[in-house]
Amino acid sequence: MTTPSLPAANAMTDPKDWVRILAAYRDPDPVRSAFELAISVIPFLGLWAVAWWALSISGWLALAIAVLNAGFLVRLFMIQHDCGHGGYFRSRALADWAGRAIGVLTLTPYDVWRSTHAIHHSAHGNLDRRGIGDIHTMTVEEYRALSPLGRLGYRLYRNPIVLFGLGPIYLFIFQNRLPVGLMRSGAKYWVSAMGTNAAIAAILAGILYFGGVKAVALIFLPTVLVAASAGVWLFFVQHQFEDTHWDRGDDWQLHDAALHGSSHYDLPPVLRWLTGNIGIHHVHHLYSRIPFYRLPEVLRDHSVLATTARRLTLRESLACARLHLWDEHGRRLLSFSEARKLPAAG
């Protein structure tokens, strides 16, 4: 397919027009996909083996290697993510089974996650459809209407220690063991969750048998939990920034929310590689089937997209952790202290 000319792309004002242009990048290269999978899973397994060997020398050394290996687990999750969007292999069956296999390593039942993540893509930025596959965000007025106990609960939820520390532990260790959000949606999701659980249990049994509790405590859990925290942070900062985009009812438009409610997280090259270019998140939301390794091509060919969305550097992104409430009138995400200064609704 011929890529549409750059002048035509630069002249566009309607985000929906990008769908036609970005379709040129949707087809995966089977060789490249296999290569990207190999250079993710082989180092991951290799570092696991090195960490296991390091246990005989120093538990701290094994722990350090396990934390380093979390980066490769994040990258594997991004490949699982692309499989879920049907954009990683030309064969949907191959993509699904690759995603299911990786889901055992990421402690994420693939079919459950794929469905809830699809809800996120179809409803992101829609104030009337919050609740599944997103980070809970309240408006200023909703927060003010809460009881003191309700406000305390929301404040605890949005606290960075909970959101990026305890939250990932709960999500990946406990919540993912059941098809939460799809409990009554059919046997398929229970099979996905229970099948993943069984495979995880078998792996843990093997680790305990051959390596003991130390291997679980110093290698398995640190790798998973550091990767989980990094993944939750990425998901947070890709949508939770000051001038993000939320609307209600007929005012909400899918492609507006994709382009203006998703950040361009411009990470250093090494982190960009480990996170599978997911920082180019506005492009991903505009056309989710584009394989992660083709996202830089989009910015190269259509430089306007590098500046259209909210660009965040790693340093700038840290300030997003203090934003908690959506101001529907000012159309920006605020901290609790900023929200207190707003006048009460008349």
Side-chain angles (χ1 to χ4, degrees), residues 135 137 154 158-160 163-164 232-244 261-265 310-325 333-336 338:
I135 289 176
T137 307
Y154 184 71
R158 298 287 297 205
N159 185 286
L163 204 54
F164 310 119
V232 171
W233 169 256
L234 285 169
F235 189 75
F236 175 88
V237 80
Q238 287 158 0
H239 300 293
Q240 302 273 325
F241 49 94
E242 183 177 4
D243 48 346
T244 189
S262 306
S263 66
H264 175 199
Y265 198 17
R310 178 66 167 92
R311 179 181 173 273
L312 291 170
T313 64
L314 183 60
R315 183 175 181 178
E316 291 170 337
S317 71
L318 299 178
C320 296
R322 59 181 288 274
L323 302 175
H324 312 289
L325 295 166
L333 205 60
L334 304 176
S335 66
F336 288 119
E338 289 172 326

Side-chain angles (χ1 to χ4, degrees), residues 186-204:
K188 170 183 177 180
Y189 302 110
W190 284 94
V191 170
S192 175
M194 296 305 113
T196 302
N197 292 345
I200 294 169
I203 290 174
L204 278 173

Side-chain angles (χ1 to χ4, degrees), residues 130-151:
R130 288 167 287 172
I132 294 182
D134 56 16
I135 289 176
H136 181 44
T137 307
M138 300 190 77
T139 68
V140 173
E141 297 306 318
E142 288 170 343
Y143 176 76
R144 286 175 172 173
L146 291 175
S147 67
L149 186 59
R151 292 185 186 185

